[in-house]
Amino acid sequence: MQAVHALPPHPNPLPQGEGAIQSAGIAIKHPRPPIRVHSISLSLRERPATSSAVSVRVREKRVSKNQNSFNTSTRILPLLALLIGLTITPQAADIPPDKLNTLIGALTRLGPEKVNANPRLKTALSQVLTATEGTEQFVDLVEVFRLTDRNPELLEMAIANPNSNAGVAAVNVVLANDGSVLIKETLAGDPKRAGKLVESLGNTLKGSTVDLMLPLLSTDGDDALQKETVRSLSKFKQGAQALLKLADADSIPEAAKLTATMELNSVRWTDVKDQAAKLLPLPKMQGGGSFPTIAELVKKSGDAIRGRLVYARETVACNRCHQVNGEGIDFGPALSEIGSKLTKEALYESILAPSSGILMGYESWSVETKAGDEYYGLLVSETKNEMAIKTVGGIVNRIQKSDIDFKRKSSLSTMPSGLQQLMSVQDMVDLVEYLASLKKRPRTK
């Protein structure tokens, strides 16, 4: 081997050969293959004070023919240890964030076969899983390494965070990991926990979840759980169609019937909405008749305090798609300063005809997969291989383009039409009064 130039000996040099990995807490016994290195460059700037990491550039190496059985991971790991000074600490909680991210990258590059074949690497993976539990990194690792024994932890994430990307990703991996038995057991248990899990399942928008949720609509079920089940099933077409079948057979529990009426009459699928109008007709507007014209509505006086209550009312539920000063779901445009942007006439029009003026960036997209799942919402990002669609509820669903059967940009707003059917004229006037009061706050000097 040629001499290494330019650096004096390090006070704590890294061990060579089979001892190199022991410095990282991984002992791997293997013969040292003959390697010929023509030049190695070392940079002081790339060596931290607390680490013996160096920058190594190998231009040529030759491994003898009798090393065919030399495991790929044992060739890569000494080099990784030299490059990054990786240290696997006895306690997962002691792994610094930068080392944790590096370790995740190294393990992921090695892949399941190499890691699972090496006890030391499996221990390292276990430490990383402990250090990342409850995060999207944990979900990704469980998915990459196909760790079905981690389904219980994923399920707890889904229950704790049913309306977050991490929670929905977690339940998706449980479904992929053949975790339906665990899901069924949880749904049959504590109603509050079951309700949170139902929220997560509904946010996956997968038709495969219908058979998991539908049994919860038995006549002797928990009222709150049944209402949540109806809301979750209404989020995707297969679920909505299953509810219509129950409605046609008059099998929707009485406690959940109003929820089903409101949800199914507000969906975007015309065929479902038309059938819902027949099977589960909306209550008549207070006072009956048609709404006044916008010109007549703007002349009426409203109460902003009552309007705020209308805004949050379950049947209207503006806060399920909009935020006001950080409260509500981040899906549609934020309304914190809407009164400074739109006149009352424009506010009435946006409620009565939501598709008449769609803000740039809030155009709706419909994506259907080859598996029959449908995603409808806002296009968050698109790459060569993936589309990210934010659906109602604020969940971002990432869909591989190779799985897409059909995609279309819609001219319709994601905001449902017909909201006026859920309010009296005075409710509408109060709601607009409240929205008009949401104005940009003056800067304080």
Side-chain angles (χ1 to χ4, degrees):
M1 179 182 290
Q2 292 185 357
V4 176
H5 302 287
L7 284 179
H10 194 279
N12 297 302
L14 281 172
Q16 303 296 313
E18 68 181 41
I21 300 306
Q22 291 176 346
S23 70
I26 306 175
I28 299 178
K29 300 292 184 180
H30 62 79
R32 182 177 179 179
I35 298 177
R36 186 174 65 204
V37 180
H38 285 278
S39 68
I40 301 176
S41 63
L42 306 176
S43 170
L44 281 170
R45 288 186 300 173
E46 295 179 325
R47 184 173 65 191
T50 58
S51 169
S52 56
V54 297
S55 174
V56 180
R57 179 163 54 88
V58 180
R59 291 185 179 171
E60 181 185 345
K61 71 177 180 181
R62 184 183 64 196
V63 182
S64 64
K65 294 181 180 179
N66 64 353
Q67 295 300 320
N68 290 335
S69 62
F70 186 60
N71 187 278
T72 303
S73 65
T74 59
R75 292 201 304 268
I76 295 174
L77 282 169
L79 184 58
L80 286 176
L82 286 170
L83 287 171
I84 61 178
L86 193 62
T87 301
I88 300 176
T89 60
Q91 298 295 326
D94 296 333
I95 305 177
D98 58 333
K99 295 292 179 69
L100 180 63
N101 290 331
T102 303
L103 185 53
I104 290 172
L107 292 170
T108 302
R109 285 193 296 274
L110 288 171
E113 292 184 6
K114 296 179 181 66
V115 171
N116 290 331
N118 188 300
R120 293 286 185 175
L121 293 179
K122 288 179 70 175
T123 298
L125 176 60
S126 179
Q127 290 177 335
V128 170
L129 287 167
T130 300
T132 59
E133 190 168 341
T135 69
E136 288 191 64
Q137 286 179 315
F138 177 85
V139 178
D140 292 340
L141 286 167
V142 172
E143 183 177 21
V144 168
F145 289 94
R146 301 186 287 275
L147 304 174
T148 57
D149 60 318
R150 296 285 181 158
N151 279 350
E153 290 101 312
L154 292 176
L155 201 69
E156 290 305 315
M157 281 186 65
I159 292 170
N161 306 283
N163 293 304
S164 74
N165 291 324
V168 176
V171 79
N172 267 322
V173 175
V174 175
L175 290 167
N177 279 351
D178 298 323
S180 58
V181 172
L182 179 62
I183 290 174
K184 288 177 181 178
E185 290 173 352
T186 305
L187 293 177
D190 177 64
K192 290 185 178 180
R193 284 171 53 81
K196 294 295 184 182
L197 180 53
V198 163
E199 280 190 80
S200 288
L201 290 170
N203 284 329
T204 68
L205 306 181
K206 292 188 180 298
S208 59
T209 64
V210 172
D211 290 339
L212 294 170
M213 292 190 279
L214 214 55
L216 299 173
L217 295 177
S218 60
T219 54
D220 58 348
D222 179 82
D223 289 356
L225 177 56
Q226 289 178 340
K227 291 177 182 178
E228 186 53 55
T229 301
V230 166
R231 283 191 286 267
S232 292
L233 286 169
S234 299
K235 292 178 180 178
F236 54 101
K237 192 168 186 179
Q238 297 99 315
Q241 290 171 328
L243 288 173
L244 285 177
K245 288 182 180 179
L246 289 182
D248 193 31
D250 197 24
S251 298
I252 294 181
E254 195 62 35
K257 192 165 287 186
L258 177 61
T259 302
T261 299
M262 297 301 173
E263 296 291 337
L264 293 175
N265 278 280
S266 299
V267 299
R268 62 184 183 82
W269 309 287
T270 303
D271 56 335
V272 173
K273 198 170 184 178
D274 290 345
Q275 197 173 353
K278 297 175 183 177
L279 296 173
L280 299 165
L282 285 165
K284 295 293 183 182
M285 183 181 68
Q286 294 178 13
S290 302
F291 262 79
T293 65
I294 292 179
E296 292 173 317
L297 287 169
V298 295
K299 295 176 182 178
K300 296 180 179 292
S301 298
D303 186 317
I305 295 176
R306 287 201 303 264
R308 184 176 182 179
L309 298 177
V310 175
Y311 175 91
R313 187 187 297 166
E314 183 178 359
T315 54
V316 180
C318 302
N319 54 2
R320 287 168 62 176
C321 288
H322 299 281
Q323 286 189 334
V324 172
N325 298 325
E327 294 184 3
I329 301 296
D330 179 17
F331 177 67
L335 303 179
S336 303
E337 300 174 356
I338 194 66
S340 298
K341 300 174 182 178
L342 297 181
T343 63
K344 284 188 177 181
E345 289 88 344
L347 289 170
Y348 279 117
E349 184 177 358
S350 67
I351 296 170
L352 295 170
S355 297
S356 63
I358 302 173
L359 291 176
M360 184 177 296
Y362 289 93
E363 302 91 347
S364 59
W365 281 79
S366 179
V367 177
E368 294 181 16
T369 67
K370 296 172 184 176
D373 298 321
E374 183 182 19
Y375 300 88
Y376 179 79
L378 308 176
L379 179 63
V380 176
S381 64
E382 182 173 10
T383 66
K384 180 180 177 182
N385 301 315
E386 180 185 82
M387 288 185 75
I389 301 292
K390 182 190 284 189
T391 54
V392 176
I395 300 300
V396 176
N397 296 272
R398 302 189 180 279
I399 310 150
Q400 294 298 310
K401 286 190 172 178
S402 58
D403 295 332
I404 293 176
D405 183 51
F406 172 83
K407 64 177 182 178
R408 181 184 64 195
K409 185 177 179 179
S410 175
S411 60
L412 299 177
S413 171
T414 54
M415 180 174 168
S417 59
L419 282 177
Q420 68 273 15
Q421 296 176 341
L422 308 178
M423 294 179 275
S424 67
V425 171
Q426 191 59 50
D427 285 339
M428 175 76 80
V429 173
D430 291 340
L431 174 60
V432 169
E433 193 69 38
Y434 168 63
L435 295 174
S437 72
L438 300 174
K439 297 186 177 181
K440 188 173 183 179
R441 297 174 183 175
R443 292 183 179 179
T444 55
K445 294 183 179 180

Short mmCIF file of all heavy atoms in Angstrom, two decimals, residues 290-300 344-345 348-349 352 425 428-429:
data_model
loop_
_atom_site.label_atom_id
_atom_site.label_comp_id
_atom_site.label_asym_id
_atom_site.label_seq_id
_atom_site.Cartn_x
_atom_site.Cartn_y
_atom_site.Cartn_z
N SER A 290 -86.90 29.17 -0.58
CA SER A 290 -85.57 29.36 -1.15
C SER A 290 -84.86 30.52 -0.48
O SER A 290 -85.49 31.38 0.14
CB SER A 290 -85.69 29.64 -2.65
OG SER A 290 -86.35 28.59 -3.32
N PHE A 291 -83.54 30.51 -0.64
CA PHE A 291 -82.75 31.60 -0.08
C PHE A 291 -83.01 32.89 -0.85
O PHE A 291 -83.26 32.86 -2.06
CB PHE A 291 -81.26 31.25 -0.14
CG PHE A 291 -80.73 30.72 1.15
CD1 PHE A 291 -80.95 29.41 1.51
CD2 PHE A 291 -80.01 31.54 2.02
CE1 PHE A 291 -80.48 28.91 2.71
CE2 PHE A 291 -79.53 31.04 3.21
CZ PHE A 291 -79.77 29.72 3.56
N PRO A 292 -82.92 34.02 -0.18
CA PRO A 292 -83.01 35.31 -0.87
C PRO A 292 -81.83 35.48 -1.81
O PRO A 292 -80.85 34.74 -1.74
CB PRO A 292 -82.97 36.34 0.26
CG PRO A 292 -83.27 35.58 1.51
CD PRO A 292 -82.77 34.20 1.28
N THR A 293 -81.89 36.46 -2.68
CA THR A 293 -80.76 36.77 -3.54
C THR A 293 -79.63 37.34 -2.70
O THR A 293 -79.84 37.81 -1.55
CB THR A 293 -81.15 37.79 -4.61
OG1 THR A 293 -81.49 39.02 -3.97
CG2 THR A 293 -82.32 37.29 -5.43
N ILE A 294 -78.40 37.35 -3.25
CA ILE A 294 -77.26 37.90 -2.53
C ILE A 294 -77.47 39.38 -2.23
O ILE A 294 -77.12 39.87 -1.14
CB ILE A 294 -75.96 37.67 -3.33
CG1 ILE A 294 -75.63 36.18 -3.36
CG2 ILE A 294 -74.80 38.46 -2.73
CD1 ILE A 294 -74.39 35.83 -4.16
N ALA A 295 -78.08 40.08 -3.17
CA ALA A 295 -78.35 41.51 -2.96
C ALA A 295 -79.24 41.73 -1.74
O ALA A 295 -79.07 42.71 -0.99
CB ALA A 295 -78.99 42.10 -4.20
N GLU A 296 -80.20 40.82 -1.53
CA GLU A 296 -81.08 40.94 -0.36
C GLU A 296 -80.36 40.50 0.91
O GLU A 296 -80.56 41.08 1.99
CB GLU A 296 -82.32 40.08 -0.58
CG GLU A 296 -83.24 40.59 -1.68
CD GLU A 296 -84.37 39.62 -1.98
OE1 GLU A 296 -84.11 38.40 -2.05
OE2 GLU A 296 -85.52 40.10 -2.13
N LEU A 297 -79.48 39.48 0.80
CA LEU A 297 -78.78 38.97 1.98
C LEU A 297 -77.84 40.00 2.58
O LEU A 297 -77.74 40.14 3.81
CB LEU A 297 -77.98 37.71 1.61
CG LEU A 297 -78.80 36.44 1.36
CD1 LEU A 297 -77.93 35.35 0.75
CD2 LEU A 297 -79.44 35.94 2.66
N VAL A 298 -77.14 40.78 1.73
CA VAL A 298 -76.16 41.74 2.26
C VAL A 298 -76.83 42.89 3.01
O VAL A 298 -76.18 43.60 3.79
CB VAL A 298 -75.26 42.30 1.14
CG1 VAL A 298 -74.39 41.20 0.55
CG2 VAL A 298 -76.08 42.99 0.07
N LYS A 299 -78.12 43.08 2.81
CA LYS A 299 -78.85 44.14 3.52
C LYS A 299 -79.26 43.72 4.93
O LYS A 299 -79.63 44.57 5.75
CB LYS A 299 -80.10 44.53 2.74
CG LYS A 299 -79.81 45.15 1.37
CD LYS A 299 -81.09 45.42 0.62
CE LYS A 299 -80.81 45.99 -0.77
NZ LYS A 299 -82.08 46.21 -1.53
N LYS A 300 -79.17 42.41 5.21
CA LYS A 300 -79.61 41.91 6.51
C LYS A 300 -78.50 42.06 7.54
O LYS A 300 -77.31 42.04 7.22
CB LYS A 300 -80.03 40.44 6.39
CG LYS A 300 -81.24 40.22 5.49
CD LYS A 300 -81.62 38.75 5.42
CE LYS A 300 -82.84 38.54 4.54
NZ LYS A 300 -84.07 39.13 5.14
N LYS A 344 -68.69 41.10 1.56
CA LYS A 344 -69.78 40.22 1.96
C LYS A 344 -70.42 39.56 0.74
O LYS A 344 -70.81 38.38 0.79
CB LYS A 344 -70.83 41.00 2.76
CG LYS A 344 -70.40 41.29 4.20
CD LYS A 344 -71.56 41.89 5.00
CE LYS A 344 -71.17 42.10 6.46
NZ LYS A 344 -72.29 42.67 7.26
N GLU A 345 -70.53 40.31 -0.35
CA GLU A 345 -71.09 39.72 -1.56
C GLU A 345 -70.27 38.51 -2.01
O GLU A 345 -70.82 37.46 -2.36
CB GLU A 345 -71.14 40.76 -2.69
CG GLU A 345 -72.16 41.85 -2.51
CD GLU A 345 -71.64 43.03 -1.73
OE1 GLU A 345 -70.58 42.89 -1.05
OE2 GLU A 345 -72.27 44.10 -1.75
N TYR A 348 -70.79 35.50 0.36
CA TYR A 348 -72.04 34.78 0.07
C TYR A 348 -71.88 33.92 -1.18
O TYR A 348 -72.30 32.76 -1.21
CB TYR A 348 -73.19 35.78 -0.13
CG TYR A 348 -73.80 36.27 1.16
CD1 TYR A 348 -73.74 37.62 1.51
CD2 TYR A 348 -74.44 35.39 2.03
CE1 TYR A 348 -74.30 38.09 2.69
CE2 TYR A 348 -75.02 35.85 3.21
CZ TYR A 348 -74.94 37.20 3.54
OH TYR A 348 -75.51 37.64 4.71
N GLU A 349 -71.24 34.47 -2.19
CA GLU A 349 -71.08 33.72 -3.43
C GLU A 349 -70.20 32.48 -3.23
O GLU A 349 -70.48 31.42 -3.78
CB GLU A 349 -70.48 34.61 -4.51
CG GLU A 349 -70.37 33.91 -5.87
CD GLU A 349 -69.84 34.82 -6.95
OE1 GLU A 349 -69.60 36.01 -6.67
OE2 GLU A 349 -69.68 34.34 -8.09
N LEU A 352 -72.52 29.90 -1.52
CA LEU A 352 -73.64 29.43 -2.34
C LEU A 352 -73.18 28.77 -3.64
O LEU A 352 -73.86 27.87 -4.15
CB LEU A 352 -74.57 30.61 -2.66
CG LEU A 352 -75.27 31.23 -1.46
CD1 LEU A 352 -75.97 32.54 -1.85
CD2 LEU A 352 -76.28 30.27 -0.85
N VAL A 425 -81.85 31.14 6.84
CA VAL A 425 -81.35 32.39 6.27
C VAL A 425 -80.56 33.16 7.32
O VAL A 425 -79.48 33.69 7.04
CB VAL A 425 -82.51 33.24 5.73
CG1 VAL A 425 -82.01 34.63 5.33
CG2 VAL A 425 -83.19 32.55 4.55
N MET A 428 -77.10 31.79 7.87
CA MET A 428 -76.20 32.21 6.80
C MET A 428 -75.72 33.64 7.01
O MET A 428 -74.53 33.95 6.87
CB MET A 428 -76.90 32.07 5.45
CG MET A 428 -76.09 32.57 4.27
SD MET A 428 -74.78 31.46 3.77
CE MET A 428 -75.75 30.28 2.81
N VAL A 429 -76.65 34.51 7.36
CA VAL A 429 -76.29 35.92 7.57
C VAL A 429 -75.33 36.04 8.74
O VAL A 429 -74.34 36.80 8.68
CB VAL A 429 -77.57 36.76 7.81
CG1 VAL A 429 -77.20 38.19 8.22
CG2 VAL A 429 -78.44 36.77 6.56
#
